[in-house]
Amino acid sequence: NSEFLSNKIIKDFAKQANWLTLSSIYVQIFDFLDKYLIKIFLGSTSLAIYSIPQQISGKLSVLSDGLISVFIPRISSRKKIIDKKNIFNSNFYVFFYLIGLLLFLINPFLDRILSWWLGESNNLKIIFLFKIFLIVSFYICITHIISTFFDTEFKSKMNSQIETFVLIIFILGMIISIYKSSLDFFAFTILIRSIVSFFIKVIFAKKFIMNF
């Protein structure tokens, strides 16, 4: 029995490893390509204006990572699909509604909060970009929960295939952004990429999502 289980684990790992590696490469491209291109084509000042709101809004991932760190061991220990479905839904909806409501409530006060936080470094462009990246972070975090569920269900190939399609849209957006020499275009490309990725993955996960 133990030998059979070991062989099964090795087989499952080998089967998923290629797709997980590909997904990791895509994560690096999504996370850093825009910043490299801005540095090269728009300069260091533009990069600083772009990176500050992106880094601040990215702190939202701490919450989704916290959920996922509990989510993975709980869901991996369950054999029944109904148990896995319940755990997945509790994590998905807690983040979706709790963080979504929080973002909705703080939105009217964001300008004041950022002005206080950034002090002399603050400007209207940073506030504008921060609001975009806050939405981006929300979609990326909720999509990460879905992606993690797919991985636990040995659907890493599906994750990679979706991300390959999204990567094409992302690259096209980067090319347009360079042509327009606009930080706004870079930010909107990231926003479109995160929304498209979320909606495609949530459609593929619909049979697991209660009250879809």
Side-chain angles (χ1 to χ4, degrees), residues 73-104:
R74 284 185 68 200
I75 205 166
S76 299
S77 65
R78 301 299 197 277
K79 292 183 178 178
K80 292 182 179 178
I81 188 62
I82 188 65
D83 292 337
K84 294 184 177 185
K85 192 174 176 180
N86 288 335
I87 296 168
F88 168 59
N89 277 270
S90 63
N91 284 269
F92 179 84
Y93 280 118
V94 162
F95 188 90
F96 190 88
Y97 285 118
L98 185 63
I99 305 303
L101 179 61
L102 178 64
L103 294 180
F104 179 78

Short mmCIF file of all heavy atoms in Angstrom, two decimals, residues 73-104:
data_model
loop_
_atom_site.label_atom_id
_atom_site.label_comp_id
_atom_site.label_asym_id
_atom_site.label_seq_id
_atom_site.Cartn_x
_atom_site.Cartn_y
_atom_site.Cartn_z
N PRO A 73 -4.23 23.22 3.34
CA PRO A 73 -4.20 21.99 4.15
C PRO A 73 -5.59 21.44 4.47
O PRO A 73 -5.79 20.23 4.53
CB PRO A 73 -3.48 22.41 5.43
CG PRO A 73 -3.49 23.90 5.44
CD PRO A 73 -3.56 24.34 4.02
N ARG A 74 -6.56 22.34 4.65
CA ARG A 74 -7.92 21.87 4.97
C ARG A 74 -8.53 21.13 3.78
O ARG A 74 -9.14 20.08 3.94
CB ARG A 74 -8.81 23.06 5.34
CG ARG A 74 -8.55 23.61 6.73
CD ARG A 74 -9.55 24.69 7.08
NE ARG A 74 -10.89 24.14 7.23
CZ ARG A 74 -12.00 24.89 7.15
NH1 ARG A 74 -11.91 26.18 6.90
NH2 ARG A 74 -13.17 24.33 7.32
N ILE A 75 -8.35 21.70 2.59
CA ILE A 75 -9.00 21.10 1.42
C ILE A 75 -8.26 19.85 0.96
O ILE A 75 -8.85 18.92 0.43
CB ILE A 75 -9.12 22.14 0.27
CG1 ILE A 75 -10.27 21.76 -0.66
CG2 ILE A 75 -7.82 22.27 -0.52
CD1 ILE A 75 -10.68 22.86 -1.60
N SER A 76 -6.94 19.83 1.19
CA SER A 76 -6.13 18.67 0.79
C SER A 76 -6.43 17.45 1.65
O SER A 76 -6.23 16.31 1.23
CB SER A 76 -4.64 19.01 0.87
OG SER A 76 -4.33 20.07 0.00
N SER A 77 -6.88 17.68 2.88
CA SER A 77 -7.16 16.57 3.80
C SER A 77 -8.53 15.95 3.59
O SER A 77 -8.86 14.94 4.19
CB SER A 77 -7.03 17.05 5.26
OG SER A 77 -8.03 18.03 5.54
N ARG A 78 -9.33 16.56 2.74
CA ARG A 78 -10.68 16.05 2.48
C ARG A 78 -10.71 15.18 1.22
O ARG A 78 -10.09 15.51 0.22
CB ARG A 78 -11.67 17.21 2.31
CG ARG A 78 -11.79 18.15 3.50
CD ARG A 78 -12.25 17.45 4.77
NE ARG A 78 -12.73 18.36 5.78
CZ ARG A 78 -11.96 19.01 6.63
NH1 ARG A 78 -10.65 18.85 6.59
NH2 ARG A 78 -12.48 19.82 7.55
N LYS A 79 -11.47 14.10 1.29
CA LYS A 79 -11.61 13.22 0.13
C LYS A 79 -12.94 13.46 -0.59
O LYS A 79 -13.04 13.32 -1.80
CB LYS A 79 -11.50 11.76 0.55
CG LYS A 79 -10.09 11.39 1.02
CD LYS A 79 -10.00 9.92 1.37
CE LYS A 79 -8.57 9.56 1.80
NZ LYS A 79 -8.45 8.14 2.19
N LYS A 80 -13.96 13.80 0.18
CA LYS A 80 -15.27 14.01 -0.42
C LYS A 80 -15.33 15.36 -1.13
O LYS A 80 -14.93 16.38 -0.57
CB LYS A 80 -16.36 13.95 0.66
CG LYS A 80 -16.55 12.58 1.27
CD LYS A 80 -17.67 12.59 2.29
CE LYS A 80 -17.88 11.21 2.89
NZ LYS A 80 -18.94 11.22 3.92
N ILE A 81 -15.86 15.36 -2.33
CA ILE A 81 -15.92 16.59 -3.13
C ILE A 81 -16.82 17.64 -2.48
O ILE A 81 -16.56 18.84 -2.58
CB ILE A 81 -16.40 16.28 -4.58
CG1 ILE A 81 -16.27 17.53 -5.47
CG2 ILE A 81 -17.82 15.78 -4.58
CD1 ILE A 81 -14.88 18.03 -5.65
N ILE A 82 -17.85 17.19 -1.77
CA ILE A 82 -18.76 18.15 -1.12
C ILE A 82 -18.05 18.92 -0.01
O ILE A 82 -18.27 20.11 0.19
CB ILE A 82 -20.03 17.43 -0.57
CG1 ILE A 82 -21.05 18.46 -0.08
CG2 ILE A 82 -19.65 16.45 0.53
CD1 ILE A 82 -21.62 19.34 -1.15
N ASP A 83 -17.14 18.23 0.70
CA ASP A 83 -16.35 18.90 1.75
C ASP A 83 -15.41 19.94 1.13
O ASP A 83 -15.27 21.05 1.63
CB ASP A 83 -15.54 17.88 2.55
CG ASP A 83 -16.43 16.96 3.38
OD1 ASP A 83 -17.57 17.37 3.68
OD2 ASP A 83 -15.99 15.85 3.72
N LYS A 84 -14.75 19.54 0.04
CA LYS A 84 -13.84 20.45 -0.65
C LYS A 84 -14.60 21.66 -1.19
O LYS A 84 -14.13 22.80 -1.13
CB LYS A 84 -13.13 19.73 -1.79
CG LYS A 84 -12.18 18.63 -1.34
CD LYS A 84 -11.45 18.03 -2.54
CE LYS A 84 -10.45 16.98 -2.09
NZ LYS A 84 -9.65 16.46 -3.21
N LYS A 85 -15.78 21.38 -1.71
CA LYS A 85 -16.61 22.44 -2.27
C LYS A 85 -17.01 23.45 -1.19
O LYS A 85 -16.97 24.67 -1.41
CB LYS A 85 -17.86 21.81 -2.88
CG LYS A 85 -18.69 22.73 -3.75
CD LYS A 85 -19.81 21.93 -4.41
CE LYS A 85 -20.73 22.83 -5.20
NZ LYS A 85 -21.82 22.08 -5.84
N ASN A 86 -17.37 22.95 -0.02
CA ASN A 86 -17.77 23.83 1.08
C ASN A 86 -16.61 24.70 1.56
O ASN A 86 -16.77 25.90 1.83
CB ASN A 86 -18.30 23.01 2.26
CG ASN A 86 -19.67 22.41 1.97
OD1 ASN A 86 -20.42 22.94 1.14
ND2 ASN A 86 -20.00 21.32 2.62
N ILE A 87 -15.41 24.11 1.67
CA ILE A 87 -14.23 24.86 2.10
C ILE A 87 -13.87 25.93 1.08
O ILE A 87 -13.57 27.07 1.42
CB ILE A 87 -13.04 23.91 2.34
CG1 ILE A 87 -13.35 22.95 3.49
CG2 ILE A 87 -11.77 24.70 2.64
CD1 ILE A 87 -12.37 21.80 3.61
N PHE A 88 -13.89 25.54 -0.18
CA PHE A 88 -13.59 26.48 -1.26
C PHE A 88 -14.56 27.66 -1.24
O PHE A 88 -14.16 28.82 -1.32
CB PHE A 88 -13.65 25.76 -2.61
CG PHE A 88 -13.65 26.68 -3.81
CD1 PHE A 88 -12.59 27.55 -4.02
CD2 PHE A 88 -14.70 26.68 -4.71
CE1 PHE A 88 -12.58 28.41 -5.12
CE2 PHE A 88 -14.70 27.52 -5.81
CZ PHE A 88 -13.64 28.39 -6.02
N ASN A 89 -15.85 27.37 -1.11
CA ASN A 89 -16.87 28.42 -1.12
C ASN A 89 -16.75 29.36 0.07
O ASN A 89 -16.94 30.57 -0.06
CB ASN A 89 -18.27 27.81 -1.18
CG ASN A 89 -18.69 27.46 -2.59
OD1 ASN A 89 -19.27 28.26 -3.30
ND2 ASN A 89 -18.36 26.25 -3.01
N SER A 90 -16.44 28.80 1.23
CA SER A 90 -16.30 29.65 2.42
C SER A 90 -15.16 30.64 2.24
O SER A 90 -15.29 31.83 2.56
CB SER A 90 -16.09 28.80 3.67
OG SER A 90 -14.88 28.07 3.59
N ASN A 91 -14.03 30.20 1.68
CA ASN A 91 -12.89 31.08 1.44
C ASN A 91 -13.19 32.09 0.33
O ASN A 91 -12.87 33.28 0.45
CB ASN A 91 -11.65 30.26 1.07
CG ASN A 91 -11.02 29.60 2.27
OD1 ASN A 91 -10.14 30.17 2.91
ND2 ASN A 91 -11.48 28.41 2.59
N PHE A 92 -13.82 31.61 -0.73
CA PHE A 92 -14.13 32.45 -1.87
C PHE A 92 -15.07 33.59 -1.47
O PHE A 92 -14.81 34.76 -1.73
CB PHE A 92 -14.77 31.60 -2.98
CG PHE A 92 -15.16 32.37 -4.21
CD1 PHE A 92 -14.24 32.64 -5.20
CD2 PHE A 92 -16.48 32.82 -4.37
CE1 PHE A 92 -14.61 33.35 -6.35
CE2 PHE A 92 -16.85 33.52 -5.50
CZ PHE A 92 -15.92 33.78 -6.50
N TYR A 93 -16.16 33.24 -0.79
CA TYR A 93 -17.17 34.25 -0.47
C TYR A 93 -16.76 35.17 0.69
O TYR A 93 -17.13 36.34 0.71
CB TYR A 93 -18.52 33.58 -0.18
CG TYR A 93 -19.26 33.21 -1.44
CD1 TYR A 93 -19.57 31.88 -1.73
CD2 TYR A 93 -19.64 34.18 -2.35
CE1 TYR A 93 -20.25 31.53 -2.89
CE2 TYR A 93 -20.31 33.84 -3.53
CZ TYR A 93 -20.62 32.52 -3.78
OH TYR A 93 -21.28 32.19 -4.93
N VAL A 94 -16.00 34.63 1.65
CA VAL A 94 -15.51 35.49 2.73
C VAL A 94 -14.66 36.61 2.15
O VAL A 94 -14.84 37.79 2.48
CB VAL A 94 -14.71 34.67 3.77
CG1 VAL A 94 -13.85 35.59 4.64
CG2 VAL A 94 -15.65 33.89 4.67
N PHE A 95 -13.73 36.24 1.28
CA PHE A 95 -12.87 37.27 0.68
C PHE A 95 -13.68 38.20 -0.23
O PHE A 95 -13.55 39.42 -0.16
CB PHE A 95 -11.73 36.63 -0.11
CG PHE A 95 -10.71 37.64 -0.58
CD1 PHE A 95 -9.62 37.95 0.22
CD2 PHE A 95 -10.84 38.29 -1.79
CE1 PHE A 95 -8.68 38.90 -0.19
CE2 PHE A 95 -9.92 39.24 -2.21
CZ PHE A 95 -8.83 39.54 -1.40
N PHE A 96 -14.52 37.60 -1.07
CA PHE A 96 -15.26 38.39 -2.07
C PHE A 96 -16.14 39.45 -1.41
O PHE A 96 -16.10 40.63 -1.78
CB PHE A 96 -16.12 37.46 -2.93
CG PHE A 96 -16.72 38.13 -4.12
CD1 PHE A 96 -16.01 38.20 -5.31
CD2 PHE A 96 -17.98 38.69 -4.07
CE1 PHE A 96 -16.56 38.82 -6.43
CE2 PHE A 96 -18.54 39.32 -5.17
CZ PHE A 96 -17.83 39.38 -6.36
N TYR A 97 -16.90 39.05 -0.40
CA TYR A 97 -17.84 39.99 0.22
C TYR A 97 -17.18 40.88 1.27
O TYR A 97 -17.43 42.09 1.31
CB TYR A 97 -19.02 39.23 0.84
CG TYR A 97 -19.99 38.72 -0.18
CD1 TYR A 97 -20.23 37.35 -0.34
CD2 TYR A 97 -20.67 39.60 -1.02
CE1 TYR A 97 -21.12 36.88 -1.29
CE2 TYR A 97 -21.56 39.13 -1.98
CZ TYR A 97 -21.77 37.77 -2.11
OH TYR A 97 -22.64 37.32 -3.06
N LEU A 98 -16.34 40.29 2.10
CA LEU A 98 -15.72 41.06 3.18
C LEU A 98 -14.79 42.15 2.61
O LEU A 98 -14.91 43.33 2.95
CB LEU A 98 -14.95 40.14 4.11
CG LEU A 98 -14.35 40.79 5.36
CD1 LEU A 98 -15.45 41.35 6.25
CD2 LEU A 98 -13.49 39.80 6.13
N ILE A 99 -13.87 41.76 1.75
CA ILE A 99 -12.93 42.72 1.18
C ILE A 99 -13.63 43.65 0.19
O ILE A 99 -13.33 44.85 0.14
CB ILE A 99 -11.75 42.00 0.49
CG1 ILE A 99 -11.07 41.04 1.47
CG2 ILE A 99 -10.75 43.01 -0.06
CD1 ILE A 99 -10.58 41.71 2.74
N GLY A 100 -14.57 43.10 -0.58
CA GLY A 100 -15.33 43.94 -1.51
C GLY A 100 -16.08 45.04 -0.78
O GLY A 100 -16.06 46.20 -1.21
N LEU A 101 -16.72 44.70 0.33
CA LEU A 101 -17.45 45.69 1.13
C LEU A 101 -16.49 46.72 1.73
O LEU A 101 -16.77 47.92 1.73
CB LEU A 101 -18.22 44.99 2.24
CG LEU A 101 -19.04 45.89 3.19
CD1 LEU A 101 -20.11 46.66 2.41
CD2 LEU A 101 -19.67 45.08 4.31
N LEU A 102 -15.35 46.24 2.22
CA LEU A 102 -14.36 47.14 2.80
C LEU A 102 -13.87 48.16 1.76
O LEU A 102 -13.78 49.37 2.06
CB LEU A 102 -13.18 46.32 3.33
CG LEU A 102 -12.02 47.12 3.94
CD1 LEU A 102 -12.49 47.88 5.18
CD2 LEU A 102 -10.85 46.20 4.28
N LEU A 103 -13.56 47.69 0.56
CA LEU A 103 -13.10 48.59 -0.50
C LEU A 103 -14.18 49.61 -0.87
O LEU A 103 -13.89 50.78 -1.14
CB LEU A 103 -12.68 47.79 -1.74
CG LEU A 103 -11.47 46.87 -1.58
CD1 LEU A 103 -11.18 46.14 -2.89
CD2 LEU A 103 -10.24 47.66 -1.14
N PHE A 104 -15.41 49.14 -0.89
CA PHE A 104 -16.54 50.02 -1.21
C PHE A 104 -16.67 51.13 -0.15
O PHE A 104 -16.90 52.30 -0.47
CB PHE A 104 -17.82 49.20 -1.29
CG PHE A 104 -19.05 50.02 -1.59
CD1 PHE A 104 -19.33 50.46 -2.88
CD2 PHE A 104 -19.94 50.35 -0.57
CE1 PHE A 104 -20.46 51.22 -3.14
CE2 PHE A 104 -21.06 51.11 -0.83
CZ PHE A 104 -21.32 51.55 -2.13
#
